[in-house]
């Protein structure tokens, strides 16, 4: 279809009003992405899991300390913890129940979905919802609380899976369909969990290991296929899956039982993938010639070459630029230039105001002016992301520095990464404040969000400067890691644990200060650029 060229002046007049609408589109089930990489698939032998926390979740985070507990102590379980404003805020939080406390609990990074502990156990997450008929709100555990207890009590992915399974069976699962991607220094697993039904306290689950030389991805669609109960090296699951599926009319009992087919959601359109799964797996294994037309994608793939952690960070920035799924490619405008012969030549270019995170009102407006201009694609990076991380677990280093999450807040395509380690004790003060409910210049998310949102007003003019800053900061960040790792290892051997902790905390603080300062300067630069109008 021939696309009508949109008037840049007309679009510019629309932007101030349309940008008041939040960028979150009117689509359900499209929040959170996790990429997993086995230790023989990475360039350095690390194991990787990851998570984009897409949605209006809290952005405060805190490293909870390890603790000893007296016999008879109970652990209280809550619901509603992911939208609080600060640690200790109980607004909207309610008690779900209590279980016996462990004698000792490990230190862990308390994010909306808790993600890393002091022993290099890391957990990512992606919601796939599944059939509503399986959800029982009376179940004690939401997925974030299962993650929390696993990090407090476990050191390996397998132990975390077994503990979560016991908790679900004993106390009940009260959440929708969830996938958690659990990594330790040896391996990474994908665990998919659902309830048993509105009348049953319990749950069902399947967990499949990503082969060491493979990569996997989870993006709001269940991915586990046929149950492999005899393959204990790569598979674990509850014993009630087929029976629950038959009881709820999700499987007729004929042929092979396929987990993702039985418990899929409408978002998946009858497949085990959509844009994100295809794009990520195809980017890492182009030799497989995967396509969006396939009926099913493999659970995991062997990448064509070793995967570097910075490559995973880059994948989280993906907007499909330069592909047929690029939402900016048809938002074009005419420009005139003088040809070699002195005559005026008219070209068409992507409009400076085109960006891959346009709100639904702007999308509808452009499609009204020129039907077919934008076909919505769920990009990997989204403007409504609260925070995201890429976690590395590295067995050749002490736990304190071997486990690291490369954390960012707001849009992962725009915000820089800051490292938080398994041995971190204190985060910079802005991380203690959530900025989702109101503007707060002291909150970590607003240290980056102002420049990010301003840049999207004319993204084709600002993206080069922002991308250059991202690359520069990353070069500095990763360039200093070898020295830090040597120093932290040396201090640990000498038993100077307090000094080791200080070194880690200082590195995190330095990277945060460098990046937040750089983003304040970008904000000033963009206000100057747009001083006379957008």
């Amino acid at each position: 279809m021939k696309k009508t060229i949109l008037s840049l002046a007309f679009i510019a007049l629309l932007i101030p009003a349309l940008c008041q609408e939040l960028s979150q589109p009117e689509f359900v089930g499209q929040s959170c992405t996790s990429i997993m990489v086995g230790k023989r698939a990475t360039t350095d032998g690390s194991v990787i899991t990851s998570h984009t926390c897409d949605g209006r979740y809290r952005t405060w985070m805190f490293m909870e300390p390890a603790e000893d507990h007296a016999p008879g102590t109970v652990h209280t379980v809550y619901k509603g913890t992911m939208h609080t404003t600060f640690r200790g805020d109980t607004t909207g939080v309610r008690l779900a129940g209590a279980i016996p406390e462990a004698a000792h609990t490990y230190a862990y990074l308390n994010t909306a979905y808790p993600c890393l502990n002091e022993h290099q156990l890391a957990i990512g997450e992606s919601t796939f919802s599944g059939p509503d008929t399986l959800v029982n709100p009376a179940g004690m555990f939401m997925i974030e609380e299962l993650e929390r207890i696993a990090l407090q009590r476990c050191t390996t992915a397998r132990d975390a899976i077994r503990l979560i399974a016991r908790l679900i069976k004993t106390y009940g699962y009260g959440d929708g369909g969830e996938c958690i991607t659990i990594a330790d220094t040896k391996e990474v697993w994908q665990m998919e969990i659902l309830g048993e039904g509105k009348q049953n306290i319990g749950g069902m689950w399947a967990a499949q290991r990503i082969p060491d030389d493979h990569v996997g991805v989870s993006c709001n669609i269940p991915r586990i296929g046929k149950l492999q109960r005899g393959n204990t090296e790569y598979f674990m699951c509850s014993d009630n899956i087929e029976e629950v599926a038959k009881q709820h009319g999700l499987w007729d009992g004929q042929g092979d039982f396929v987990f993702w087919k039985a418990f899929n959601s409408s978002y998946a359109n009858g497949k085990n993938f959509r844009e994100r799964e295809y794009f990520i797996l195809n980017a890492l294994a182009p030799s497989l010639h995967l396509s969006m037309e396939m009926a099913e994608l493999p659970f995991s793939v062997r990448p064509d070459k070793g995967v570097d952690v910075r490559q995973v960070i880059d994948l989280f920035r993906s907007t499909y630029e330069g592909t047929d799924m690029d939402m900016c490619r048809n938002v074009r405008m005419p420009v005139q230039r003088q040809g070699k012969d002195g005559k005026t030549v008219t070209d068409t270019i992507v409009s400076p105001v085109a960006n891959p995170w346009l709100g639904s009102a702007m999308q509808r407006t452009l499609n009204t002016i020129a039907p077919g201009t934008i076909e919505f694609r769920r990009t990997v990076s989204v403007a409504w992301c609260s925070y995201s991380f890429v976690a590395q677990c590295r067995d050749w280093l002490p736990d304190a520095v071997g486990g690291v999450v490369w954390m960012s807040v707001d849009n992962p395509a725009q915000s820089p990464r800051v490292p938080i380690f398994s041995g971190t004790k204190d985060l910079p003060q802005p991380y203690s404040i959530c900025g989702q409910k109101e503007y707060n210049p002291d909150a970590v998310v607003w240290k980056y969000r102002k420049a990010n949102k301003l840049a999207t007003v004319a993204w084709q003019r600002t993206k080069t400067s922002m991308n250059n800053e991202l690359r520069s900061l990353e070069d500095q960040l990763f360039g200093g890691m070898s020295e830090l790792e040597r120093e932290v290892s040396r201090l640990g051997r000498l038993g100077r644990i307090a000094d080791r902790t200080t070194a880690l905390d200082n590195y995190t603080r330095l990277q945060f200060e460098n990046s937040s300062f750089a983003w304040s300067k970008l904000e000033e630069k963009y206000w100057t650029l747009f001083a006379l109008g957008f």
Side-chain angles (χ1 to χ4, degrees):
M1 178 187 296
K2 184 177 179 180
K3 303 293 189 293
T4 302
I5 297 172
L6 298 170
S7 165
L8 176 59
F10 181 72
I11 294 173
L13 289 172
L14 288 171
I15 283 176
L18 294 176
C19 284
Q20 293 177 20
E21 181 194 39
L22 290 175
S23 294
Q24 187 163 349
E26 299 168 359
F27 295 87
V28 177
Q30 301 190 29
S31 295
C32 303
T33 301
S34 180
I35 301 170
M36 298 148 280
V37 191
K39 69 183 294 92
R40 290 199 288 120
T42 57
T43 55
D44 61 359
S46 62
V47 180
I48 292 175
T49 188
S50 53
H51 174 50
T52 64
C53 186
D54 300 330
R56 206 172 180 82
Y57 295 95
R58 65 169 168 91
T59 53
W60 70 262
M61 52 193 77
F62 186 86
M63 183 60 79
E64 302 287 350
E67 292 185 307
D68 293 315
H69 306 280
T73 303
V74 297
H75 176 98
T76 50
V77 179
Y78 296 98
K79 294 182 178 181
T81 61
M82 295 194 293
H83 301 280
T84 51
T85 303
F86 54 89
R87 182 178 181 260
D89 180 14
T90 59
T91 305
V93 177
R94 63 184 179 88
L95 180 66
I99 66 173
E101 183 60 278
H104 180 79
T105 52
Y106 304 127
Y108 72 97
L109 180 56
N110 182 1
T111 42
Y113 293 91
C115 62
L116 178 72
N117 78 6
E118 62 177 296
H119 293 289
Q120 300 200 60
L121 181 66
I123 306 179
E125 180 272 348
S126 180
T127 301
F128 63 86
S129 298
D132 292 340
T133 54
L134 298 177
V135 180
N136 183 356
M140 182 184 295
F141 281 100
M142 304 297 282
I143 195 66
E144 64 272 14
E145 293 304 302
L146 290 171
E147 292 180 64
R148 185 186 319 282
I149 293 177
L151 292 171
Q152 287 179 314
R153 302 186 184 192
C154 300
T155 60
T156 70
R158 291 173 189 253
D159 283 347
I161 292 167
R162 296 185 186 106
L163 173 60
I164 289 170
R166 292 195 299 271
L167 293 172
I168 289 171
K169 186 173 184 179
T170 304
Y171 301 100
Y173 180 68
D175 214 335
E178 288 280 357
C179 171
I180 50 177
T181 58
I182 314 172
D184 57 32
T185 60
K186 303 299 182 185
E187 56 191 12
V188 57
W189 288 72
Q190 184 162 328
M191 183 179 189
E192 298 178 348
I193 309 169
L194 301 105
E196 286 188 44
K198 295 187 182 301
Q199 305 304 317
N200 296 320
I201 296 295
M204 55 183 170
W205 59 274
Q208 187 166 343
R209 177 182 168 190
I210 306 297
D212 290 347
D213 59 347
H214 275 216
V215 297
V217 61
S218 178
C219 308
N220 311 124
I221 296 173
R223 300 268 297 137
I224 292 174
K226 296 178 183 179
L227 305 186
Q228 306 171 41
R229 285 196 172 90
N231 186 3
T232 56
E233 185 62 22
Y234 284 91
F235 200 85
M236 293 184 273
C237 66
S238 60
D239 58 9
N240 60 346
I241 297 173
E242 296 96 333
E243 185 60 33
V244 171
K246 284 192 288 187
Q247 287 175 0
H248 289 84
L250 302 170
W251 181 52
D252 61 7
Q254 303 299 310
D256 291 326
F257 179 86
V258 179
F259 193 92
W260 69 260
K261 287 185 178 180
F263 305 124
N264 222 341
S265 59
S266 58
Y267 166 64
N269 291 334
K271 295 185 178 183
N272 71 340
F273 74 98
R274 281 192 59 167
E275 300 98 331
R276 284 172 287 164
E277 294 91 345
Y278 158 72
F279 180 85
I280 291 166
L281 295 180
N282 185 63
L284 295 174
S287 64
L288 296 181
H289 304 293
L290 304 175
S291 77
M292 286 290 291
E293 285 67 48
M294 297 175 71
E296 180 178 357
L297 286 187
F299 172 73
S300 62
V301 302
R302 182 181 292 109
D304 287 359
K305 58 183 180 181
V307 180
D308 182 79
V309 66
R310 292 184 69 170
Q311 190 175 2
V312 179
I313 290 172
D314 281 342
L315 285 170
F316 274 138
R317 295 182 179 129
S318 299
T319 61
Y320 315 139
E321 184 175 358
T323 74
D324 290 342
M325 298 190 295
D326 185 350
M327 290 188 290
C328 295
R329 66 190 180 121
N330 295 323
V331 184
R332 306 179 70 83
M333 58 171 271
V335 292
Q336 293 183 333
R337 61 179 175 83
Q338 190 175 41
K340 293 181 179 179
D341 58 1
K343 295 182 179 180
T344 299
V345 178
T346 300
D347 295 325
T348 59
I349 64 169
V350 173
S351 168
V353 302
N355 79 72
W357 311 293
L358 291 173
S360 56
M362 178 62 92
Q363 292 177 40
R364 290 194 298 268
T365 301
L366 298 183
N367 283 332
T368 298
I369 298 169
T373 299
I374 296 178
E375 179 184 357
F376 176 77
R377 297 288 189 174
R378 204 303 192 175
T379 51
V380 182
S381 70
V382 290
W384 66 90
C385 181
S386 295
Y387 66 87
S388 69
F389 68 82
V390 176
Q392 282 186 287
C393 307
R394 303 175 293 175
D395 63 3
W396 66 93
L397 290 167
D399 286 342
V401 71
V404 56
V405 292
W406 304 100
M407 182 70 71
S408 76
V409 293
D410 203 60
N411 189 334
Q414 297 178 300
S415 293
R417 299 277 164 179
V418 173
I420 302 173
F421 302 91
S422 286
T424 294
K425 182 177 180 181
D426 293 317
L427 295 176
Q429 180 62 23
Y431 284 92
S432 67
I433 307 167
C434 179
Q436 296 288 48
K437 297 180 181 179
E438 62 180 10
Y439 172 70
N440 186 334
D442 295 325
V444 62
V445 72
W446 287 106
K447 300 294 183 181
Y448 306 97
R449 178 171 283 171
K450 291 180 288 183
N452 289 350
K453 301 314 180 199
L454 189 56
T456 60
V457 176
W459 180 239
Q460 303 303 317
R461 296 176 67 188
T462 60
K463 67 179 181 180
T464 298
S465 59
M466 183 164 274
N467 287 335
N468 286 343
E469 280 294 333
L470 285 171
R471 299 298 179 197
S472 176
L473 287 168
E474 265 186 29
D475 288 344
Q476 296 175 42
L477 170 60
F478 284 93
M481 284 294 291
S482 294
E483 182 179 350
L484 176 70
E485 290 158 6
R486 286 193 297 270
E487 178 64 7
V488 167
S489 299
R490 183 185 72 84
L491 292 170
R493 289 193 299 270
L494 295 174
R496 295 168 56 182
I497 304 305
D499 290 338
R500 182 182 71 182
T501 300
T502 298
L504 292 169
D505 290 353
N506 284 346
Y507 197 76
T508 296
R509 185 170 291 105
L510 174 64
Q511 302 307 323
F512 163 72
E513 290 174 351
N514 286 347
S515 61
S516 59
F517 177 77
W519 254 237
S520 71
K521 301 307 291 183
L522 278 181
E523 181 190 357
E524 294 172 4
K525 178 177 181 176
Y526 297 152
W527 277 124
T528 303
L529 179 64
F530 302 134
L532 299 181
F534 295 117

